[in-house]
Amino acid sequence: MLDKLRLDRLTKRAKGEAVTVSLLFTLLAVAITLLVLYGAYFGLITALILRSQFFSLVSCAGLLYIGLNARSGSVRLLCYALAPVALVPGYHLWASYLDIIMRGAMATPPDLFIFVGLMAVVLVLARLAVGWALVVLVVLALAYAWFGDLIPGRYGHGGYDLRRLASTLMLSTEGVYGLPMGVAVEYIFLFALLGTLLMKVGTGEVFVDIARGLTGRMQGGPGLSAALSSAMLGTINGSAVANVVTTGTFTIPLMKRVGYSANLAGAIEAAASSAGQILPPVMGAAAFLMAEIIGVPYAQIALAALVPGLLYVLALMVAVRLEAGRLGLERDTEAGWALLRQTLLRRGYLLLPLIGLIGFLIAGYTPTRAAVMSILMALLISPWSRQTRVGPVDLAIVCRDTLLSTMPIVAAVAAAGAVIGVLNLTGMGLMLSGLIVNIGGQNMWAILLLTALVSFVLGMGLPTSAAYLLLAVLVAPALTRLGVPPIVAHMFIFYYGLASAITPPVALAAYAAASISGGDANRTAVEAVRLGFVKLLVPFLFATMPGLLMLGTGLEIAFSIVLATIGTVGLTIAFAGWLGRPMTRTERAAVAVASLLVVWPQAVTAVDPVTIVARAAGLAGMALLLYRVMLGQGPAAAPYDSKAS
């Protein structure tokens, strides 16, 4: 049992140290799980107390884990020394809560010492769990708050001392324990727990076999299976990198066996795995943040994300099928309808918790209550088979693995919460949003391009949740000031903040896939962008086709879906360069132009002559070109060599 719980995977420590730290980590994980479940189901814990207790426990456990696996002796000692310090703020706020309320959350001298310790924990944990980017942002934010009186002009301010910073960032829900931390404790950890539990009982394997049953007998079926299974798996964990390492170990070797190159196999897996962040019902952690920031039910966010997410999966499946035809790949002879039927009959019941989650959300349950009920369903069905049975040790491992997967996110939202607290305290957030509007003028497309650029750059250096939080404060207001609906503005930055999972130079999902496939990391990332281009195109369609987000009349929604589907499939064919035969560069360019004309940047109900002519020309041109290509008329180009890309 102790061997199952050991955490010293990177560097083997002395058995006594490893066992002690591993047991402490597991006990903290179980305590965090019980705290989150109690708060989610009963909701009787005050927000500040719940969030501070949660972060104290998570940061203490995270520092113990990092210290155990640290190669540097100084880092190891620093983490072990800070671990008990991390517990102090949570206990202090719980024990002194009434006193803090009575004095209007104004910091006292003891609070200042505890605040300094808290910020040390936040900075060290963010550096070791996430990287330097957030640490630099937090330090710059604190320096701006402290030395703002030295800055001339509109961007300066009177300066804030340590007492004011402690009051805002620690003793209120405006800083470290703000809305981001609330989402982490109320949604992110809870849904990660559900996903980890479902993986433990075997739901992930069911998804893989269902995908193989549906697509395996087709040409290039392993690629289609990888795309579909990774997308389905993403609906329960919402992590691109986790999807890659979970399903990629099976799908990537299978794709290579039937003829996909190492780069292409890794790219398919990376692009498919990143679909989980935009697919309901769970999506990525940032989706829960979006619901809280906009102030709408999470079910509405999930519904809005449904069509764009399905468009992404459709375009990816079409691209993979065309690649298989171009390369003349084999089929997965072990898959097919027999496997699908066998999977559903023998293990289909393992899908009940996920079906129940969707049902509870539709029935009007809060996401937290729905997640708790789905966890109970998973625990109830696990004893039905010896292979899926989950014992006490397995439950402890589920709690531990959930904490391991969410610890970097919690570190990120704590640091981002500190930055947002300073931005709100100083008013810098509104000023930067106004700066974007001033640069872009009143031109919505200029603002969208600037927003996409800022979102993309922040997404490269920060985790998804932290990038979205900063974008929501800095960038989204610039779009809403131009009349863009809030859900459109936030979904736009959400998509571009996620794009870094497959786009160089920080394509974590692509790099993880390349490590499994043995391909070149950067070439794998480039191929993943080619396959997953919808993430870069669709956000711009939100502005003119809000029907894709289920906004507007039924007719507007239907027109938006039809036009966007035609446009994305057309661009997919143009990027693939194959449709029954290789396409010439001229044909590919013509299909791409026709596809863009179909999604002409005007409202779907626009009836001005230019819009009507553009869309009609796009539809007619695409139909004619594709008909010509499929008939085999005209010269054929040399096949595109994915192995060289």
Side-chain angles (χ1 to χ4, degrees):
M1 182 184 76
L2 293 178
D3 287 337
K4 287 184 178 181
L5 298 178
R6 285 190 64 163
L7 293 169
D8 52 331
R9 307 299 183 197
L10 302 178
T11 55
K12 293 296 182 180
R13 297 294 183 199
K15 186 175 181 180
E17 178 187 351
V19 169
T20 301
V21 173
S22 298
L23 285 176
L24 285 174
F25 186 92
T26 304
L27 289 173
L28 287 169
V30 172
I32 292 166
T33 301
L34 294 176
L35 174 69
V36 170
L37 289 174
Y38 182 86
Y41 192 81
F42 295 103
L44 300 177
I45 306 177
T46 303
L48 184 62
I49 295 177
L50 176 63
R51 297 170 188 179
S52 61
Q53 293 284 341
F54 174 77
F55 181 66
S56 284
L57 294 173
V58 171
S59 56
C60 177
L63 289 168
L64 289 174
Y65 171 75
I66 295 170
L68 180 64
N69 288 285
R71 290 185 170 89
S72 168
S74 57
V75 171
R76 181 179 168 200
L77 291 176
L78 175 64
C79 290
Y80 285 165
L82 280 178
V85 174
L87 295 174
V88 175
Y91 173 78
H92 173 68
L93 292 177
W94 171 68
S96 308
Y97 180 72
L98 290 179
D99 180 53
I100 293 171
I101 296 299
M102 293 298 292
R103 51 185 159 90
M106 296 304 296
T108 59
D111 294 329
L112 303 184
F113 289 102
I114 296 173
F115 173 68
V116 171
L118 172 64
M119 294 313 300
V121 168
V122 170
L123 291 172
V124 171
L125 188 63
R127 163 64 187 90
L128 298 175
V130 180
W132 278 109
L134 271 176
V135 174
V136 172
L137 284 175
V138 173
V139 171
L140 288 176
L142 293 175
Y144 175 69
W146 188 273
F147 298 109
D149 57 326
L150 303 178
I151 301 175
R154 59 178 298 192
Y155 295 106
H157 56 79
Y160 297 95
D161 59 13
L162 190 62
R163 185 183 182 197
R164 184 64 183 277
L165 288 173
S167 299
T168 301
L169 301 184
M170 186 182 75
L171 300 182
S172 73
T173 54
E174 300 295 328
V176 175
Y177 305 128
L179 177 64
M181 189 62 68
V183 172
V185 63
E186 295 170 18
Y187 298 104
I188 296 174
F189 188 92
L190 189 62
F191 278 85
L193 177 67
L194 173 61
T196 306
L197 181 59
L198 291 179
M199 291 297 296
K200 191 69 175 178
V201 301
T203 303
E205 297 174 4
V206 173
F207 280 152
V208 173
D209 287 342
I210 288 176
R212 291 182 64 204
L214 289 172
T215 63
R217 289 286 183 174
M218 301 179 187
Q219 187 178 33
L224 294 170
S225 299
L228 188 57
S229 62
S230 295
M232 289 192 296
L233 185 63
T235 63
I236 61 175
N237 69 13
S239 170
V241 177
N243 277 4
V244 169
V245 298
T246 301
T247 61
T249 53
F250 170 79
T251 59
I252 290 176
L254 187 58
M255 283 189 280
K256 291 175 65 178
R257 192 189 315 158
V258 299
Y260 287 98
S261 68
N263 292 336
L264 186 56
I268 291 172
E269 179 59 42
S273 294
S274 65
Q277 296 177 303
I278 57 176
L279 274 176
V282 176
M283 304 174 63
F288 298 104
L289 295 167
M290 189 191 306
E292 292 296 312
I293 291 173
I294 299 178
V296 300
Y298 174 73
Q300 185 175 337
I301 299 295
L303 180 63
L306 180 61
V307 171
L310 293 177
L311 272 178
Y312 180 86
V313 175
L314 172 64
L316 180 60
M317 297 283 283
V318 171
V320 172
R321 176 63 184 86
L322 294 178
E323 290 290 333
R326 181 176 59 79
L327 296 171
L329 300 183
E330 301 175 8
R331 291 169 170 78
D332 182 2
T333 56
E334 299 178 359
W337 292 107
L339 176 62
L340 176 63
R341 184 171 59 254
Q342 182 183 25
T343 300
L344 291 177
L345 288 176
R346 294 185 178 181
R347 294 177 292 157
Y349 68 92
L350 294 175
L351 299 175
L352 288 176
L354 186 60
I355 296 172
L357 174 65
I358 298 172
F360 289 131
L361 289 173
I362 293 175
Y365 281 65
T366 64
T368 52
R369 184 66 65 89
V372 172
M373 299 299 291
S374 297
I375 289 171
L376 291 176
M377 288 181 65
L379 293 175
L380 289 174
I381 66 173
S382 71
W384 293 3
S385 170
R386 181 177 300 175
Q387 289 75 23
T388 63
R389 195 166 298 152
V390 178
V393 176
D394 294 320
L395 285 177
I397 292 174
V398 167
C399 297
R400 182 201 67 184
D401 291 346
T402 302
L403 178 55
L404 284 173
S405 65
T406 55
M407 185 259 294
I409 298 176
V410 175
V413 298
V419 175
I420 292 171
V422 171
L423 292 175
N424 291 333
L425 180 65
T426 60
M428 175 57 76
L430 291 176
M431 287 188 285
L432 290 178
S433 178
L435 180 63
I436 293 176
V437 173
N438 292 335
I439 294 174
Q442 295 300 311
N443 188 318
M444 183 182 69
W445 293 105
I447 297 293
L448 287 175
L449 286 172
L450 284 171
T451 301
L453 179 62
V454 173
S455 304
F456 184 73
V457 171
L458 277 179
M460 288 193 301
L462 298 175
T464 299
S465 51
Y468 170 75
L469 283 170
L470 295 178
L471 292 167
V473 174
L474 300 176
V475 178
L479 293 174
T480 56
R481 287 171 64 175
L482 294 178
V484 177
I487 195 169
V488 173
H490 284 260
M491 198 65 77
F492 184 93
I493 62 176
F494 175 68
Y495 262 69
Y496 268 95
L498 295 177
S500 62
I502 57 174
T503 51
V506 195
L508 295 181
Y511 294 167
S515 69
I516 298 173
S517 69
D520 179 84
N522 288 323
R523 290 179 179 177
T524 299
V526 171
E527 284 289 286
V529 172
R530 183 172 67 88
L531 296 171
F533 74 94
V534 172
K535 269 193 179 179
L536 305 178
L537 170 69
V538 164
F540 284 96
L541 300 184
F542 296 160
T544 55
M545 297 182 180
L548 293 175
L549 301 177
M550 297 298 178
L551 300 177
T553 65
L555 188 62
E556 291 172 339
I557 293 173
F559 277 173
S560 297
I561 294 174
V562 170
L563 293 177
T565 301
I566 295 172
T568 53
V569 171
L571 283 173
T572 301
I573 295 171
F575 288 153
W578 191 91
L579 190 65
R581 68 161 174 84
M583 299 169 62
T584 67
R585 291 184 178 180
T586 302
E587 289 169 341
R588 295 172 68 178
V591 171
V593 171
S595 302
L596 293 175
L597 288 175
V598 170
V599 292
W600 186 257
Q602 290 294 333
V604 292
T605 54
V607 293
D608 60 281
V610 175
T611 301
I612 293 176
V613 170
R615 287 180 176 157
L619 290 170
M622 187 185 302
L624 180 62
L625 286 163
L626 296 182
Y627 178 72
R628 177 178 182 273
V629 172
M630 294 181 70
L631 281 183
Q633 299 176 7
Y640 174 77
D641 185 6
S642 68
K643 294 183 181 181
S645 66

